[in-house]
Amino acid sequence: MNVANPDVAYEVSINPATLEEIGRLPLTTQEEFAETFNKAREAQKKWAQTSYKERASYVLKMADYIRDNADELAGIISQDNGKLKVDALNTEIIPSIMSCTWYAKQAPKVLKDELLPPASLLFFNKWSKRVFQPIGVLGIISPWNYPFSIPFGELVMALMAGNAVVLKVAAQTPMVGEAIERVVKSSGLPEGLFTHVVGSGSKVLSAMLENGADKMFFTGSTYAGKQVMKSCAEYLVPCSLELGGNDAMVVLEDAPIERAVNGGMWAAYQNAGQSCGGVKRVYVHEKVYDEFVSMAIAKTKALRHGDNGHDADLGSVTTEKQFQQLEKELQMALDNGATIAAQSKPVGEQKGYFFPATLLTDVTSDMEFMQDEIFGPFMPIVKVSSEAEAIELANASQYGLTASVWSGSNKRGKEVAKKLHAGAVTINDHLYTHGLSNTEWGGPKESGIGRTHGALGLLEVSESKIVNWDILPNLSKNNAWWFPFDEASYSNMLKLTAYAKPRSAVEWIGLNLLVIPKVLKKMLSSWKVDQD
């Protein structure tokens, strides 16, 4: 543990499973913010001139460090966030290693220059190239539910695209931010390209914008995301927002029931239910409802929550505030008419914020409990009479992050997936796509703006520029639409309105024979004027 200086303000980390302090980091001062961004801008200018191969060499060293120190890093995440080490390993450490290798290899392909030939014969001499350039200094504000993998993936994308990064992890998980610092430092990355800052979200956001952040990346609640967007608008700074979810699981009558129960429970209860893309609403066809519920009850009762090493299935909720909120939301569900069908059993010491995995039945889609994002280990099950009803209810949400379809037929699953309003739809699985580097993450409606991960994620951390030139630079002295204007030039241009979409082949030939020569004559002629 760091020794506290009474003259310095700190961000304190409490292990939510044991309620013990595990570390503290000094808050970043306003003066330090200014220095951080000045260094970042200078470092980024040089970094932008490096090759993708050189950038990849640093990123791959980060992957080496994470791999070689996986157990230690998983332990830090577990202590800071409350999730089990196995959870940290599966959903944060392994995906982060894969992100390094994927972006190191794919960034040069995704961000390569693209030649754009003329879109019309009218512009036969005008050729273009689309080039991708870094944005500059990016600010990242990340959440406490996946404190390592969410910001780390964005960091790797940003670096591979040639940017510098200033990162703020959640106030509840500062030691993970310090761990990310060590990962980056292990690579020998040039000083100034990455800085981890510490402080409250609103103050850090203001400091980042005031000091010239070129784009903001935020992951968190929809309410907080809207505040970030308002703040960015004042500076005309673009932002990428990955926000809330109230994700639906659709179980059709031909679904593989045991797989559906196992997968649905994992996606609903994993990380103590603190996953924006986890299962939040389950719609089960009436023909398989009883079988699904019976199996889910037995397996939920078999789950263990607690701080008990490898002999537990669920860790703790991350904060006391969130634990209290879940108690209120469970009571809301019961008041709405829901029934607790099963809960997990406690194991080990229960000092911290342990909330049982809770299976809820007698649930209807119009309950208040079902309307908003519930960030805890709940699995509410709704009986539906048809595929159409399930789709309608799944889409009846202000969120659209992810969804899943469970069916014995991939063809049918894909057909239903097209009808669901979500950024990612999985068939016979749920939640894991955040760990796939090649698939973008994000959703419509109040689930956010923009995408992270994959090729689209790389485009989010880049700016496109068009470079245009004449393939025959000395061919003409003028363009057809340049000065001087006269009646003849107007008449010719008016006739050319039909060139891009002629009424017939005869008209197109006539334009080429009669009008284009006049246009070319103007382009090739000198514009002579009297000079005083």
Side-chain angles (χ1 to χ4, degrees), residues 14 22 32 83 90 110-111 138 145 148 156 199 201 210 243 302 327 329 373 428 438-439 443 449 476 497 499 518 528:
I14 303 295
I22 58 174
E32 288 171 329
K83 66 179 63 177
N90 291 340
V110 174
L111 301 178
L138 307 185
N145 60 331
F148 190 95
V156 171
E210 289 167 3
L243 308 178
E327 290 183 318
E329 288 167 343
E373 179 179 32
N428 295 333
N438 65 317
T439 60
I449 294 174
S476 67
T497 58
Y499 194 84
K518 295 178 181 179
K528 297 180 179 180

Side-chain angles (χ1 to χ4, degrees), residues 189-220:
L189 190 74
E191 185 179 358
L193 282 177
F194 171 77
T195 306
H196 168 226
V197 296
V198 182
S200 73
S202 59
K203 291 181 180 179
V204 169
L205 173 63
S206 296
M208 287 182 172
L209 293 172
E210 289 167 3
N211 284 283
D214 295 298
K215 185 170 183 178
M216 290 300 307
F217 287 79
F218 173 81
T219 304

Side-chain angles (χ1 to χ4, degrees), residues 13-29:
S13 177
I14 303 295
N15 184 336
T18 64
L19 306 186
E20 297 172 345
E21 180 179 333
I22 58 174
R24 55 179 60 199
L25 296 176
L27 301 183
T28 304
T29 65

